[in-house]
């Protein structure tokens, strides 16, 4: 969807798709009709819209168009396998996987200049561009580290450690004021980090958000901000995870697995048109600077609302303060 405008990008998917999986339909909700149709030779994995661009992610390529009628194809970029449809579109840059494992291509929209970021040694799993376009966050299939880059010069500013054991990253989200980063994984944990920013010198300590009265709830998980291992992080020659930056707080969210078609014990049948064949879980959306929505699809589709704030003891915490199933009984 294009911000709060009336344009929505539709791609067929699921067991009974309304549209072909190789077509992008731009729907004008004000006119109640399709105004643009783009057709490709292979399945579409992701579409990003801005007021000036349409960006389409296929398995091994990114197609960029001018948002016009008819749309004008501006460029095509080759990528490594991109079954998750990774692509971030800002007002000045576009980010997507490079044509080699773990690399990111960063393209300036106005000039077409391309920069290559060697982000990870394993395939990319998730990426997110900050609202102001100054910061790019990436994660690989290993799922232990979130790496932070400045888009202005492609410099790596920080590594944020989600954990030590391998995990599948579901989603990365950056707050509207560009100060906090949230990440979810198949560990059913939502982690919150302070976000480094190239235009802010005091990025290690973000402003206190929320209110003490809004975060008292059972089920929160609190961690010592950043310095999880205390003095161990200062001892030379110890493994790097002792000195890494950890989330300052985390909270549990639900990731209920959908039952297999045919009942318990039946072979799993992938859902056509969906990356990995499984319904999306743990999708992050920031409502404001301190409120996070975590959304999961599938038969147990639900949303959960979390508040990031400062408790009476002065420590920042993330707690769930609402949820609802929006599908099923």
């Amino acid at each position: 969807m294009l911000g709060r405008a009336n344009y929505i990008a539709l791609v067929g998917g699921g067991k009974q798709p309304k549209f072909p999986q190789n077509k992008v339909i731009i729907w004008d909700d004000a006119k109640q009709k399709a105004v643009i149709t783009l057709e490709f030779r292979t399945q579409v994995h992701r579409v990003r819209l801005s007021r000036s661009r349409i960006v389409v992610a296929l398995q091994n390529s990114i197609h960029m168009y001018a948002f016009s009628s008819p749309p004008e194809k501006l460029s095509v970029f080759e990528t490594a396998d991109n079954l998750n449809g990774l692509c971030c579109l800002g007002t000045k840059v576009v980010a997507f996987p490079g044509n080699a494992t773990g690399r990111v291509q960063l393209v300036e929209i106005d000039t077409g200049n391309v920069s290559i970021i060697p982000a990870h040694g394993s395939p990319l799993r998730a990426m997110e561009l900050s609202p102001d376009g100054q910061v790019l966050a990436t994660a690989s299939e290993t799922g232990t580290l979130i790496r932070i880059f400045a888009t202005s010069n492609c410099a790596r500013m920080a590594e944020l450690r989600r954990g030590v054991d391998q995990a599948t990253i579901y989603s990365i989200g950056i707050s509207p004021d560009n100060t906090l980063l949230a990440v979810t994984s198949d560990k059913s944990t939502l982690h919150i980090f302070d976000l480094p920013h190239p235009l802010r010198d005091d990025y290690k300590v973000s402003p206190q958000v929320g209110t003490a009265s809004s975060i008292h709830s059972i089920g929160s998980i609190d961690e010592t901000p950043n310095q999880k291992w205390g003095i161990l992080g200062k001892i030379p020659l110890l493994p790097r995870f002792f000195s890494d930056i950890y989330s300052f707080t985390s909270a549990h969210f639900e990731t209920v697995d959908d039952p297999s078609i045919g009942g318990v014990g039946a072979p799993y049948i992938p859902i056509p048109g969906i990356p990995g064949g499984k319904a999306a879980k743990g999708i992050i959306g920031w409502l404001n600077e301190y409120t996070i929505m975590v959304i999961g699809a599938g038969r147990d589709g639900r949303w959960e609302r979390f508040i990031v704030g400062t408790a009476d003891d002065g420590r920042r915490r993330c707690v769930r303060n609402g949820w609802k199933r929006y599908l099923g009984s």
Side-chain angles (χ1 to χ4, degrees):
M1 185 173 182
L2 177 54
R4 298 188 179 185
N6 49 290
Y7 294 108
I8 304 172
L10 304 174
V11 179
K15 299 167 188 175
Q16 296 178 326
K18 181 176 179 62
F19 304 109
Q21 296 172 15
N22 66 327
K23 284 187 177 182
V24 175
I25 310 297
I26 306 296
W27 179 268
D28 187 333
D29 201 50
K31 297 179 179 179
Q32 287 292 295
K33 68 176 184 178
V35 292
I36 295 175
T37 300
L38 300 172
E39 184 173 356
F40 302 89
R41 295 181 179 179
T42 59
Q43 178 183 332
V44 174
H45 291 285
R46 185 87 61 183
V47 183
R48 298 293 191 189
L49 300 179
S50 72
R51 296 188 180 277
S52 63
R53 296 291 185 267
I54 302 172
V55 179
V56 181
L58 308 183
Q59 179 173 343
N60 294 109
S61 60
I62 294 288
H63 298 248
M64 189 181 303
Y65 295 82
F67 201 142
S68 57
S69 185
E72 176 189 357
K73 178 176 281 192
L74 301 176
S75 51
V76 178
F77 301 90
E78 293 184 0
T79 70
D81 281 347
N82 187 18
L83 292 175
N84 291 309
L86 300 182
C87 180
C88 300
L89 174 60
T91 56
K92 296 182 179 180
V93 296
V94 185
F96 47 86
N99 53 17
T101 299
R103 295 191 175 186
V104 174
Q105 294 187 69
L106 197 65
V107 180
E108 295 180 11
I109 293 177
D110 291 339
T111 65
N113 292 339
V114 180
S115 300
I116 303 297
I117 301 174
H120 299 271
S122 53
L124 297 168
R125 171 67 191 184
M127 65 171 61
E128 179 71 1
L129 196 63
S130 63
D132 65 1
Q134 295 289 330
V135 175
L136 177 69
T138 66
S140 73
E141 290 185 354
T142 304
T144 55
L145 294 172
I146 312 298
R147 288 187 170 139
I148 309 300
F149 301 89
T151 58
S152 58
N153 57 10
C154 299
R156 187 168 75 187
M157 296 188 294
E159 289 185 341
L160 311 178
R161 181 167 288 276
R162 180 211 55 82
V164 178
D165 53 338
Q166 186 167 338
T168 298
I169 299 298
Y170 284 154
S171 180
I172 299 174
I174 297 176
S175 63
D177 62 355
N178 310 289
T179 61
L180 300 178
L181 179 144
V183 60
T184 56
S185 72
D186 62 352
K187 301 298 183 181
S188 296
T189 305
L190 166 67
H191 289 273
I192 311 296
F193 299 84
D194 288 308
L195 180 68
H197 197 284
L199 303 182
R200 191 173 62 246
D201 293 333
D202 58 344
Y203 65 81
K204 290 185 179 180
V205 181
S206 66
Q208 294 181 345
V209 293
T211 60
S213 61
S214 68
I215 66 170
H216 293 294
S217 174
I218 297 174
S220 64
I221 307 172
D222 192 23
E223 296 178 351
T224 302
N226 299 334
Q227 300 299 324
K228 181 175 181 178
W229 299 102
I231 193 172
L232 290 178
K234 300 179 181 180
I235 299 177
L237 304 180
L238 284 180
R240 56 178 287 181
F241 62 78
F242 284 105
S243 58
D244 281 343
I245 300 174
Y246 285 75
S247 58
F248 63 78
T249 190
S250 58
H252 175 81
F253 72 95
E254 297 296 330
T255 55
V256 179
D257 290 331
D258 292 323
S260 299
I261 298 175
V264 178
Y268 179 78
I269 300 177
I271 303 173
I274 296 179
K278 293 185 178 181
K281 306 289 184 182
I283 304 303
I284 296 171
W286 286 84
L287 293 184
N288 52 43
E289 288 76 9
Y290 55 86
T291 307
I292 304 170
M293 301 295 291
V294 177
I295 302 171
R299 296 185 183 181
D300 190 55
R302 66 175 68 195
W303 58 258
E304 298 175 77
R305 183 174 59 240
F306 296 85
I307 301 295
V308 182
T310 306
D312 292 338
D313 60 4
R315 303 174 73 180
R316 290 175 295 169
R317 297 182 181 179
C318 176
V319 298
R320 188 176 75 165
N321 81 333
W323 70 278
K324 183 178 182 180
R325 287 191 179 94
Y326 60 86
L327 294 175
S329 57

